[in-house]
Amino acid sequence: MGEADGQEPMRWDEQARGGAGGWVRGAAGSPTPPPDDGGPRPPLPTKVILMAVGGGVAIAALVLALSSFFGSSDTDDPVAASGTSSPPAPSTTTSAAEQDPVRTAASGAEQAAAVDALLDRSRTDRSTVIAAVGKVESCASAASVASAGKALDAAASRRDDLIARLDELSLDEIPSGREAADSLRVAWRHSADADRAFAAWADDAAGCTPGQVARGPSHTRGADSSALATAAKEDFLLVWAGIAEQYGLPARDATRI
């Protein structure tokens, strides 16, 4: 439009905007701004650039502060706020089952069977003892008497082992199980005493004449201990008979224990 329309031409004023420079409308007759031919424009003053940069930094700081504020309101855990989770720490506690493992107690039938197995072993030793005493009595040879003495000592040691194994058994599920075990223990102790006494008698009989073996004090001690063992076996059998029947175990007498 022309000047009559009140539209004054634009011109560049170096003093406009506080010295920053800018385009302003000039008075009539003022030169019109050069056409924009794509060439470089006048550079912005340093003051303007610094003000723009400072404003950008301030805005960035404000955004960061607001983000921290609203982010911390969700959780105080920086790991949870980041959306990641750490693996659970290994457990250092021990379960009750590991601290105090439950052991299944043997049933009455199992406990009775364990005693019955010991009785079988004792019956074998009884046969060995009877045979050894017969060898000493007959005095067939010096060698047979000596071997009989060793067999009797070994039998006494096995009786001790039977007692130790009996003491290790739990018999709480067997009716009158403890009473039966007490009588059996006494019987085996007397049997061990008898075995050792007869072994000493075999030593006394060294160099004997067949059919002429003297029965000295050792033989007497052996016979007395054997009688005590038989009495204790009878006491045991009175209790054991009912236990064996209850659990389907073989019946026994004094010659079979």
Side-chain angles (χ1 to χ4, degrees):
M1 295 182 181
E3 294 179 5
D5 296 329
Q7 297 294 330
E8 297 179 349
M10 298 297 293
R11 64 182 179 83
W12 180 263
D13 188 352
E14 295 289 345
Q15 302 302 319
R17 298 176 60 188
W23 293 97
V24 298
R25 293 186 182 278
S30 298
T32 58
D36 187 358
D37 57 357
R41 296 191 177 189
L44 294 176
T46 303
K47 181 178 180 180
V48 174
I49 296 175
L50 293 177
M51 290 176 64
V53 172
V57 173
I59 293 174
L62 177 61
V63 172
L64 179 60
L66 292 175
S67 299
S68 300
F69 174 80
F70 289 107
S72 62
S73 64
D74 294 335
T75 176
D76 293 332
D77 186 357
V79 175
S82 65
T84 60
S85 59
S86 59
S91 175
T92 57
T93 60
T94 304
S95 66
E98 292 175 312
Q99 293 175 352
D100 187 16
V102 178
R103 297 181 179 180
T104 303
S107 65
E110 292 171 330
Q111 292 178 358
V115 175
D116 189 70
L118 295 181
L119 295 178
D120 279 339
R121 291 179 54 184
S122 177
R123 181 180 62 177
T124 302
D125 287 334
R126 183 177 185 277
S127 300
T128 300
V129 169
I130 293 175
V133 171
K135 288 182 179 180
V136 177
E137 190 78 50
S138 64
C139 187
S141 67
S144 65
V145 172
S147 65
K150 292 179 180 179
L152 290 165
D153 278 331
S157 296
R158 287 193 295 271
R159 308 276 195 185
D160 294 339
D161 182 64
L162 286 172
I163 294 172
R165 292 182 180 276
L166 179 64
D167 290 342
E168 293 174 355
L169 296 180
S170 175
L171 306 177
D172 56 319
E173 297 295 326
I174 302 177
S176 302
R178 183 52 55 193
E179 180 184 354
D182 290 343
S183 298
L184 184 59
R185 185 180 300 103
V186 171
W188 280 340
R189 282 176 179 169
H190 286 310
S191 292
D193 291 342
D195 296 340
R196 290 188 173 91
F198 286 132
W201 174 53
D203 291 340
D204 295 340
C208 60
T209 301
Q212 298 181 10
V213 178
R215 293 187 174 182
S218 295
H219 183 279
T220 301
R221 289 196 307 272
D224 291 344
S225 294
S226 182
L228 292 173
T230 299
K233 288 177 183 178
E234 295 293 346
D235 292 340
F236 165 74
L237 289 171
L238 289 175
V239 181
W240 182 253
I243 296 174
E245 181 178 3
Q246 178 179 352
Y247 296 110
L249 299 172
R252 295 181 183 272
D253 56 28
T255 64
R256 299 186 62 194
I257 60 174

